[in-house]
Amino acid sequence: MNASAWQMLLEGAWTTVWISAVSIAIGVLAGLVIALIRLARIPIVDQLLVLYISVARATPLVTLALFIFLSAPDLGLDFNRSVAGILALTLNTTAFNAEIWRSAFRNFSREQREAAMATGMTPWITFRRIMLPQMVITSLPGLINEMSFLIKGSPAIAVIGIVDLTRVTNRISAVTYEPLPPILVAGALYMMVIGCLIWLQRIFERRANRLAM
């Protein structure tokens, strides 16, 4: 591969990273909010959220990206490709993250909540100082796994014209008629990105364990 091919691969990798990063950041926070709302068991709202989670988890990313990008003009929305791609990835990962957070909430020790309330802590302080730090630690493996799946599933947004890492690989292969080198490089880049996530997870867990000691 020549210098131009390497530049195209790096640009495609950057597109994959920044779109995935934005979707992950929004998805983790939105998933936490949805989990909190579901725990409140608000009539109708809870049923709507269950429906959203079920549909989002069952819909392939390719289908979701196409639906958002093609239906937006009919709804009077002017989405460019990047916004449509981020929205598709976010809707998908939020549904999975919501279930991860909800599981952490339900498995949290009731004794700890009762002890915190007995000391005079308000529900908000109990959540922020007692529950959330522990829930982040217990949810971290599941959240990191979901982030990894999202990054590996991000090539689906190429269907709406986003030039991500996988699409760049296909373009280089079509021009050079040598598909193996760009595919190997793309695979290595994906592994590096996901490896960084796992490395950050280990650092966070080590620091959390030190604070807990």
Side-chain angles (χ1 to χ4, degrees):
M1 295 190 303
N2 55 26
S4 177
W6 281 99
Q7 182 179 354
M8 290 174 63
L9 284 167
L10 292 177
E11 290 175 354
W14 169 245
T15 299
T16 295
V17 168
W18 82 260
I19 288 180
S20 298
V22 172
S23 302
I24 287 169
I26 298 174
V28 170
L29 294 176
L32 176 60
V33 172
I34 290 175
L36 289 171
I37 295 174
R38 286 207 60 198
L39 287 173
R41 296 185 178 277
I42 303 172
I44 300 179
V45 175
D46 186 57
Q47 284 77 9
L48 290 174
L49 290 176
V50 170
L51 178 62
Y52 153 66
I53 291 172
S54 300
V55 171
R57 294 173 70 184
T59 305
L61 266 173
V62 172
T63 305
L64 186 58
L66 279 173
F67 174 77
I68 292 173
F69 185 66
L70 296 178
S71 64
D74 295 333
L75 299 175
L77 301 173
D78 186 18
F79 287 163
N80 61 35
R81 290 180 173 84
S82 296
V83 173
I86 289 172
L87 184 57
L89 293 177
T90 300
L91 288 174
N92 177 270
T93 193
T94 296
F96 288 95
N97 288 331
E99 291 301 286
I100 294 171
W101 284 119
R102 191 169 71 94
S103 176
F105 274 116
R106 297 186 64 173
N107 293 328
F108 190 82
S109 171
R110 180 180 298 178
E111 289 76 12
Q112 289 193 55
R113 289 200 301 266
E114 293 175 351
M117 299 295 288
T119 61
M121 290 186 178
T122 63
W124 166 245
I125 293 178
T126 300
F127 170 75
R128 183 168 60 88
R129 295 186 177 180
I130 305 298
M131 297 179 64
L132 186 59
Q134 297 184 54
M135 287 167 46
V136 168
I137 296 173
T138 57
S139 301
L140 195 58
L143 293 173
I144 294 295
N145 283 339
E146 171 55 25
M147 294 175 193
S148 301
F149 284 128
L150 183 73
I151 293 171
K152 289 184 287 187
S154 63
I157 61 176
V159 73
I160 60 176
I162 295 176
V163 185
D164 71 325
L165 180 55
T166 299
R167 183 158 186 165
V168 167
T169 302
N170 293 335
R171 286 185 174 182
I172 295 173
S173 301
V175 172
T176 62
Y177 298 101
E178 294 180 354
L180 190 57
I183 288 175
L184 291 175
V185 174
L189 290 172
Y190 277 116
M191 291 176 64
M192 287 175 59
V193 173
I194 295 174
C196 288
L197 285 177
I198 297 173
W199 177 68
L200 291 173
Q201 175 189 351
R202 291 175 178 173
I203 290 177
F204 189 86
E205 288 177 340
R206 287 174 185 172
R207 291 184 177 180
N209 290 333
R210 289 174 184 175
L211 292 174
M213 292 178 64

